[in-house]
Amino acid sequence: MELFAICHIGKCFILDYELYRYKIKEIILYHQKHNNLTRLACQSAWKFLMNGLPYYDCFEGVIVNELHFAREAARKLEELMKSVNRKRKEEERGRETKEELVLLRWLKTLERYFLSCTMWNEEFVGLLNSIVRVFLAAKDNYREVNFQCIHLLKEIADNKAIEIDVLLKGGAVNAVLEKMQLQTLNKYETYQFLLFFIELSIRLKIKKDEVKEEERKEMKMKMFEKMEEEGYEDIVTSFYGISQYINIYFHPQISLDISDYFVNV
């Protein structure tokens, strides 16, 4: 309960982060060896560290390389998915279960990290793959989990520290393309998916230094081929008729220039 309370310290008390972060590190390391924390306590400890990242990014190296956050978070997501009922009856949908609430807390903790992270290693590919599996498994049975995953994937695509190649390796691009073809897609999902691909398109159009220019061209070709294979252009074109409506409904506005959604080679 102390860990749960401390993770909810507000911004006005952010100086307490300096006081507690190394103690939290010790608690997490001990838990990794002895598995002594409850699910809530463990998640609360990680959430406390994530809360301080926008203000104390110098601790990010400890989170990534010493505490192996990506590996631990991926393991937690996989464990939680085993206890989630993927075939809930129609009348049970919309009711929050204990497992769903724990999943939501972890996904929101991940969002805090991806909004601020500047460091990345190969362990995050496994984490992204776990997020994608949760996303595909949630579907209509767990709407809040589904929506949180969609938002999280959009934030990951928006983070410049994360290479676009990782989104391909981790299965994020495939998952979003698959979901975009569903007839049950609602306006919120459409909005987030379009933002996901707008961000990828923008990033692939920006030229970097000459040394990495060949890598950028190769990635553009990979992305173009994946989109063409899945019929992405037809999907986006079919959404264009409701773009203005989505613009009115959501903020910030999405682009009304359809070329912004495509990757040209």
Side-chain angles (χ1 to χ4, degrees):
M1 292 310 298
E2 290 174 357
L3 287 169
F4 180 72
I6 201 174
C7 80
H8 287 88
I9 291 176
K11 292 181 181 178
C12 57
F13 301 109
I14 199 65
L15 287 177
D16 289 326
Y17 184 86
E18 274 293 306
L19 179 63
Y20 290 109
R21 63 180 182 173
Y22 285 103
K23 185 61 178 178
I24 297 295
K25 171 190 170 183
E26 292 175 8
I27 289 171
I28 290 175
L29 285 173
Y30 189 85
H31 170 67
Q32 289 174 348
K33 288 183 178 179
H34 303 283
N35 195 31
N36 65 311
L37 295 178
T38 64
R39 283 178 175 177
L40 178 60
C42 179
Q43 188 272 333
S44 296
W46 281 113
K47 183 179 178 181
F48 176 81
L49 296 183
M50 299 304 114
N51 287 346
L53 273 182
Y55 312 95
Y56 299 95
D57 58 358
C58 58
F59 200 65
E60 188 177 0
V62 173
I63 292 172
V64 173
N65 299 316
E66 293 185 44
L67 298 179
H68 300 281
F69 169 65
R71 185 181 67 196
E72 289 296 300
R75 185 170 63 83
K76 291 296 181 184
L77 290 181
E78 295 295 339
E79 287 176 0
L80 288 167
M81 281 307 300
K82 292 177 182 178
S83 58
V84 166
N85 179 9
R86 303 189 190 186
K87 297 181 179 180
R88 289 202 294 184
K89 296 178 181 178
E90 186 67 34
E91 60 271 18
E92 295 175 330
R93 294 177 183 177
R95 299 178 190 172
E96 291 182 329
T97 64
K98 179 181 177 180
E99 291 79 11
E100 183 179 6
L101 289 172
V102 178
L103 258 178
L104 281 170
R105 283 199 296 265
W106 267 105
L107 292 171
K108 289 176 181 178
T109 300
L110 290 170
E111 182 183 354
R112 295 287 295 179
Y113 179 79
F114 288 120
L115 281 170
S116 309
C117 78
T118 59
M119 298 185 68
W120 188 264
N121 62 30
E122 282 301 312
E123 290 180 355
F124 282 88
V125 178
L127 174 56
L128 182 55
N129 195 258
S130 294
I131 293 169
V132 168
R133 281 200 286 272
V134 171
F135 173 49
L136 293 175
K139 294 185 178 179
D140 292 332
N141 279 344
Y142 295 90
R143 299 293 286 176
E144 288 301 316
V145 170
N146 183 51
F147 290 160
Q148 187 63 35
C149 286
I150 292 170
H151 182 65
L152 186 55
L153 290 174
K154 182 265 173 186
E155 294 297 339
I156 292 172
D158 192 45
N159 191 310
K160 305 302 185 293
I162 303 169
E163 295 292 336
I164 293 176
D165 191 44
V166 172
L167 295 172
L168 279 170
K169 289 179 181 177
V173 174
N174 284 358
V176 173
L177 284 170
E178 178 183 327
K179 286 274 191 168
M180 287 180 79
Q181 299 180 60
L182 297 178
Q183 294 182 351
T184 55
L185 210 64
N186 62 36
K187 53 185 176 291
Y188 173 81
E189 293 169 318
T190 302
Y191 169 70
Q192 293 289 344
F193 291 156
L194 291 176
L195 286 181
F196 178 90
F197 281 107
I198 284 178
E199 187 54 43
L200 293 188
S201 177
I202 291 171
R203 290 179 62 185
L204 287 170
K205 288 173 184 175
I206 297 174
K207 290 187 177 182
K208 299 182 181 180
D209 55 84
E210 292 300 322
V211 176
K212 293 188 177 181
E213 184 59 19
E214 286 302 315
E215 292 181 13
R216 186 179 72 91
K217 290 180 180 178
E218 183 180 348
M219 179 50 57
K220 283 180 71 174
M221 181 58 72
K222 283 183 183 178
M223 192 64 70
F224 177 81
E225 289 174 351
K226 174 57 66 177
M227 290 174 167
E228 190 174 48
E229 178 185 331
E230 299 294 335
Y232 170 77
E233 185 170 343
D234 290 339
I235 296 169
V236 174
T237 303
S238 70
F239 291 148
Y240 192 64
I242 62 170
S243 294
Q244 192 166 5
Y245 168 72
I246 295 175
N247 257 331
I248 295 171
Y249 195 86
F250 290 104
H251 299 280
Q253 295 181 337
I254 64 170
S255 174
L256 292 176
D257 185 349
I258 199 165
S259 64
D260 287 342
Y261 301 97
F262 300 132
V263 174
N264 299 313
V265 295

